[in-house]
Amino acid sequence: KPVILWFRRDLRLHDNPALNHAAETGRPILPVFILDRNPDRQTGAASLWWLDKSLRALDASLQTRGSRLILRSGDSLSQLQKLIQETNADAVFMNRLFEPQAFERDAEIAHALKADAVDCRGFNGSLLCRPGAVLNGTGGPYKVFTPFLKALLAQAEPPAHTTGPREIDTPTAVESESIDDWKLHPTGPDWSKGFDWTPGEDGGSAALSDFLAHGLKAYSVGRDHPDRPATSRLSPHLHWGEISPWRAVERARDAAAAGKVPAAEAEKFVAEIGWRDFSAHLLHHFPTMPERAFRPEYDAMPWRDDPKGLEAWKRGRTGYPLVDAGMRQLWATGWMHNRVRMVVASFLVKHLLIDWREGEAWFWDTLVDADLASNVQNWQWVAGSGADAAPYFRIFNPIAQGEKFDAKGGYVRRWVPELRALSDRWLQAPWTAPAEVLRDAGLRLGKDYPHPILDHGQARARALDALKTVSGRG
Ligand code: FAD
């Protein structure tokens, strides 16, 4: 009797615990992916673009091992039951999803399958440590990152590296839907044409190798400069499980042990991967975080209803070059540099005083790495309402951030080409440039590029006033 290997966000053959356990049974394996409603929320458009390519890559990898990916769509439990009936399978192995509603749904599915005498088993293939396993001295959840990471790294055991079985025996007479029929590209409009990524486990491994060879040696400083290719760009690969986080951690540490990079740089990278686990850990213990502020007083913020401001932010037309560059990078590539994510998020929440949930929703739809736990945790971090968050009164100045982290202007000039001819001195605040400078640069403010939609100083004062209404601080 075959074993069903239910792929979800573990789209790889190496380091895949569910696959390894299925192979250990010595029985035929039926790899299946079911296109179902995401139980936590509808999958975003950019994520579906990624999924399309990643499933094709997984199918190709499976075919090199004599197998293939069976595609089904609809309710997961009904589809599994149907497949069990068609193939006589009596086991379902999967790597777990840890978002609260997905976790609950999996438990219901396992319960229903077990009632039909199906052996249903779940593993952790996506996080350094299963959420809920790392607890503080009193048995409660950590709310501060540094002690959480310390405890996690002391406690979690890296699994042995595996490449998966060389041959996967899959029954041939099982029907599959066609991925072309799923039409997973964005429509009306399809803005994904310029996305330049290689989804799939080979793409993930290549991104990691490239980062280890170039970015890691100066990661701790380089990671703050959006014009440098100093970060790994592993986030979508990690989200879709095309690479395991332990693999990234161990290869970084191996590079340090071999003297190729300083140990402190490798550990900084490990800590960032740790933030991913911390986000999942928080969502597990505080499952209302996608809807509600972790610090409840922040739900009383006097958010503004400003559709025009929101639209200017989404389209990269706020008149603040670093903010606009980030929002345009997001639209054009499905990804944005972390430093700039912090600046644009702060601009929305503090300068525009628009509810962080509006920004989180836009990121969810447009990021190829959109991840419920990380997105929500980071938005709440910026908004000041999260656990271990930046204090609300620390308001990023988008001009100063640009001058500091994009000092040579390479990032802004790439994504806001209408400002290209402006010298570094005026680039981050074009409205302060004398008229002749603008003329020489061929720039008509208000026509080629917008006037700033708000004044930084006034917006800052308004944000601080708003803060006083919720916390009495300022
Ligand atoms: P690297 O610097 O190479 O870091 C390595 C890995 O560590 C990343 O791939 C990621 O998995 C993890 N990581 C790094 N920083 C963080 C962080 N702050 N929080 C959680 N994990 C982190 N990341 C997502 O994966 N999905 C999201 O939906 C997401 N939304 C965000 C929203 C906002 C407002 C902000 C400020 C940050 C968000 N991040 C999100 C975190 C971070 O910006 C990205 O993980 C990072 O930019 C990805 O690029 P990289 O792979 O080159 O990162």
Side-chain angles (χ1 to χ4, degrees), residues 211 219 223 230-236 238-239 269-277 279 335-346 360 363-364 367-382:
F211 170 67
Y219 176 70
R223 65 186 288 274
T231 70
S232 69
R233 291 178 172 254
L234 274 179
S235 49
L238 283 165
H239 173 76
F269 178 65
V270 171
E272 293 308 315
I273 304 259
W275 270 101
R276 184 172 171 272
D277 263 60
S279 304
W335 184 88
M336 193 196 305
H337 188 277
N338 180 61
R339 165 65 45 185
V340 193
R341 288 188 204 202
M342 293 195 286
V343 173
V344 303
S346 170
E360 195 268 323
F363 270 32
W364 176 259
L367 276 172
V368 287
D369 65 25
D371 179 272
L372 190 66
S374 291
N375 205 25
V376 162
Q377 187 279 120
N378 278 285
W379 273 95
Q380 292 223 34
W381 185 90
V382 174

Side-chain angles (χ1 to χ4, degrees), residues 292-301 380 385 470:
R292 298 229 291 275
F294 177 86
R295 295 167 197 268
E297 67 272 21
Y298 280 80
D299 274 336
M301 271 306 257
Q380 292 223 34
S385 63
V470 302

